């Protein structure tokens, strides 16, 4: 189905079968440094999370995915790992992790860790050994070292640009002080890429996976799963669309614009066919363990068709649906991406996933009200960005969008704070910024700090209850009291209560394991479908839509007089 095609009259979509828990799970992402701080240093930690876990059980999610808490110099907020089998002292200890895991399991919550195999930190022992070893040594072969070009080797081996800005190559200095080889880093220079063609590297990660599986984790989200293998010869590459090489999806997602996806071949460092053999190996390790462990791919690929190849039965269990995430607030586009997702994923026996926010993108309570000419994904929004989104409109659309998403069959991901309706923090002072993107682009891109601000728990406490001392590694806005959990708990109509109701009803009506049948009666500005005994109607137009007879079981805004207002979703039982 293309964007331009009309809504099929009836399109019943049978979701993939299988009774593994993750096929229909709602998975809540915790960004550990911004969730809850127990020791008052302004950075969230594992004991802080453990204390707050009952709030997540009460919210009604099934599982938690934790962004990395492993030992790390924190150059990229923990996505630069220097020891994969230990907890960074900032966040606590392995014993704290064991308590967290036990507490979560006791509350019925599964736990998913974040594995970062594309690169290590430059402070990892493997990289230190590589630097200390001579050129051509087995230690160097664990990473992507190459000679520079030109008579003195002072030109980078190719023209690739880092996702965070600047060259993807950094030159090292030999022990005698002379310039040496270059190493590849898709991200920051403190994140050297591993050489996944090297069997020794593959073997190490089998051990790391087993370390966490033995401790009891229920699976892994795999970071940059699309970047691990690079095209042989590392050929030069110039992206046809600005930002395309960087996962730089804009609000007009290239994957969803017919034509552009066809013109965008996989860059030589994304989505190479060699990755699939790695995932089959990882699948095999997880299969040795009881209890349906999950493997979720963070793979930024330009089409859903390609993404589906990653979730074939012997590879990942599921993959993030970034095409869905970046779909504009337009009924036609939304219907198309839903249909295309279910077709692509169920074609290989996998559930579709759905997601609206994470720690790398502008929060959807702001993104859904961005003006047309907004900066591309990854640029972020800051004090000097022209045409900032309207917060009230953004929140209204976010509530409607989430209410729609949570009625879709498959698995949904939530990002901490979205259940409070948090907007992007668009006024962070430059002096507070920490995202490497900000530094590597010399301030040209604000980066991702605006979605990473510590979340508010209690309106009247220091740091809104995030920390005991009032410290917060990124400053929190002064106007966040109304978003605090205790300002919304038990308050009818609050965003928190909307999430709780939606999650409860989703489970009661079996929507996650259900199937979708389009309902075409409401015009082209509406998305409407049936899932089991629930009819979901979302009005993305400006004009109110008359509702059919039926009991309203959920509404993202108050419904008066039988009409569905603009930017509103209802669930009806007819
Ligand atoms: O992200 C990979 C990635 O390519 C996207 O995050 C995106 O291109 C980027 O955010 C620019 O918009 C993962 C993690 O989710 C991210 O937090 C890490 O910084 C990155 O990997 C490196 O580990």
């Amino acid at each position: 189905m293309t964007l331009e095609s009309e809504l099929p009259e009836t399109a019943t979509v049978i979701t993939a079968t299988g009774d593994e828990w993750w096929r229909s799970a709602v998975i809540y992402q915790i960004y550990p440094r911004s969730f809850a701080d127990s020791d008052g240093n302004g950075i969230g930690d594992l004991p802080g999370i453990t204390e707050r876990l009952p709030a997540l059980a009460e919210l009604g999610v099934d599982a938690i995915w934790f962004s990395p808490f492993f030992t790390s110099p924190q150059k990229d907020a923990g996505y630069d790992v220097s020891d994969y089998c230990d907890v960074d002292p900032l966040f606590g200890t392995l014993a704290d992790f064991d308590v967290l895991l036990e507490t979560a399991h006791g509350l019925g919550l599964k736990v998913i860790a974040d594995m970062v195999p594309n690169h290590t930190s430059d402070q990892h022992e493997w990289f230190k050994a590589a630097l200390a070893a001579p050129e051509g040594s087995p230690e160097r072969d664990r990473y992507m070292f190459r000679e520079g070009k030109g008579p003195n080797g002072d030109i980078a081996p190719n023209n690739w640009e880092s996702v965070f800005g600047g060259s993807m190559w950094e030159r090292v200095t030999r022990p005698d002080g002379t310039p040496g080889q270059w190493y590849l880093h898709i991200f920051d220079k403190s994140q050297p890429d591993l050489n996944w063609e090297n069997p020794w590297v593959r073997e190490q990660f089998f051990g790391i996976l087993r370390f966490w599986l033995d401790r009891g984790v229920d699976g892994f989200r795999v970071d940059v799963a699309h970047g691990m293998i690079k095209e042989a010869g590392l050929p030069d590459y110039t992206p046809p669309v600005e930002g395309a090489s960087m996962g730089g999806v804009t609000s007009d997602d290239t994957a969803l614009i017919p034509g552009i996806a066809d013109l965008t071949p996989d860059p030589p460092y994304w989505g190479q066919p060699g990755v699939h053999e790695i995932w089959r190996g990882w699948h095999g390790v997880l299969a040795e363990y009881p209890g349906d462990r999950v493997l979720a791919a963070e793979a930024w690929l330009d089409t859903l068709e390609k993404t589906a190849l990653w979730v074939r039965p012997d590879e990942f269990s599921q993959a993030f649906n970034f095409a869905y995430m970046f779909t504009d607030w337009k009924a036609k586009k939304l219907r198309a991406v839903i249909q295309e997702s279910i077709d692509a994923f169920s074609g290989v026996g996998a559930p579709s996933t759905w997601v609206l926010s994470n720690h790398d993108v502008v929060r959807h309570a702001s993104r859904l009200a961005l003006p047309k000419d907004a900066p591309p994904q990854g640029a972020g929004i800051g004090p000097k960005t022209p045409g900032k989104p309207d917060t009230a409109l953004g929140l209204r659309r976010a509530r409607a969008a989430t209410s729609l998403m949570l009625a879709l069959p498959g698995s949904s991901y939530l990002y901490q704070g979205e259940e409070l309706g948090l907007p992007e923090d668009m006024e962070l002072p430059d002096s507070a910024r920490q995202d490497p993107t900000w530094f590597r682009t010399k301030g040209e891109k604000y980066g991702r700090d605006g979605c990473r601000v510590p979340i508010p728990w209690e309106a009247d406490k220091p740091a809104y209850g995030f920390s005991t001392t009032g410290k917060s590694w990124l400053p929190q806005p002064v106007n966040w009291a109304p978003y605090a959990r205790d300002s919304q708990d038990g308050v009818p109509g609050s965003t928190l209560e909307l999430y709780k109701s939606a999650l409860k009803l989703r489970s009661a009506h079996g929507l996650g394991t259900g199937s979708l049948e389009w309902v075409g009666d409401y015009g082209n500005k509406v998305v409407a479908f049936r899932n089991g005994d629930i009819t979901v109607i979302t009005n993305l137009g400006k004009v109110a839509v008359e509702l059919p007879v039926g009991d309203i079981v959920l509404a993202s805004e108050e419904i008066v007089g039988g009409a569905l207002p603009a930017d509103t979703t209802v669930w009806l039982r007819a």
Side-chain angles (χ1 to χ4, degrees), residues 190-276:
S190 64
Q191 296 165 295
D193 277 48
L194 283 164
N195 172 16
W196 274 88
E197 309 279 2
N198 183 331
W200 184 90
V201 169
R202 296 190 182 206
E203 213 40 57
Q204 303 314 301
F205 274 87
F206 289 146
I208 292 165
L209 294 178
R210 290 199 173 94
F211 176 86
W212 292 103
L213 291 165
D214 288 339
R215 282 200 117 76
V217 302
D218 300 289
F220 303 96
R221 172 259 191 197
V222 182
D223 190 61
V224 198
H226 54 313
M228 325 257 297
I229 297 286
K230 283 79 180 172
E231 192 176 320
L234 312 182
D236 275 356
Y237 174 75
T238 304
V241 179
E242 203 261 318
S245 64
M246 308 182 183
V249 189
T250 66
S251 61
D252 255 342
D253 181 356
T254 55
L256 298 170
I257 303 171
I260 291 201
D262 309 335
L263 296 175
T264 311
D266 286 326
Y269 40 86
W270 290 152
Q272 297 299 304
V275 292
H276 297 288

Side-chain angles (χ1 to χ4, degrees), residues 31 65 76 79-80 114 116 119 163-164 187 191 221 223-224 226 246-248 270 298 300 358-361 377-379 435-437 448 452:
Y31 196 63
W65 144 38
D76 184 21
Y79 282 96
D80 49 321
D114 201 329
V116 189
H119 46 266
V163 168
F164 292 157
F187 296 91
Q191 296 165 295
R221 172 259 191 197
D223 190 61
V224 198
H226 54 313
M246 308 182 183
W270 290 152
E298 191 224 16
W300 296 73
N358 69 29
H359 66 294
D360 289 332
V361 303
Q377 147 60 15
D435 184 350
T437 310
R448 303 159 295 174
R452 297 175 172 182

Side-chain angles (χ1 to χ4, degrees), residues 324 327-331 334 356 363-372 389-405 418 421 495 498-499 525 538-543 556-557 565-569:
Y324 179 75
T327 301
D328 291 339
W329 189 239
K330 297 260 164 47
L334 205 48
L356 291 165
R363 281 184 176 277
H364 71 282
S366 300
R367 196 183 65 242
L368 291 174
L370 276 175
K372 264 204 165 19
D390 175 297
T391 304
L393 178 66
L395 179 58
R396 187 179 174 100
R397 288 186 174 168
R399 290 164 56 105
T402 303
S403 303
L404 186 160
M405 177 179 85
E418 67 166 85
T495 302
L498 177 68
Y499 271 70
K525 301 277 195 245
T538 302
N539 183 2
L540 296 94
K542 291 193 166 65
V543 181
S556 64
E557 302 295 332
D567 300 316
T568 305
T569 294

Side-chain angles (χ1 to χ4, degrees), residues 25 40 61 87 104 147 149 207 238 246 265 267 279 282 311 337 342 350-351 370 394 400 421 444 462 531 555:
V61 297
V87 171
E147 300 300 329
K149 293 201 287 205
T238 304
M246 308 182 183
W279 307 130
W282 285 39
V311 289
V337 74
I342 299 181
L370 276 175
E444 200 184 297
N531 181 353

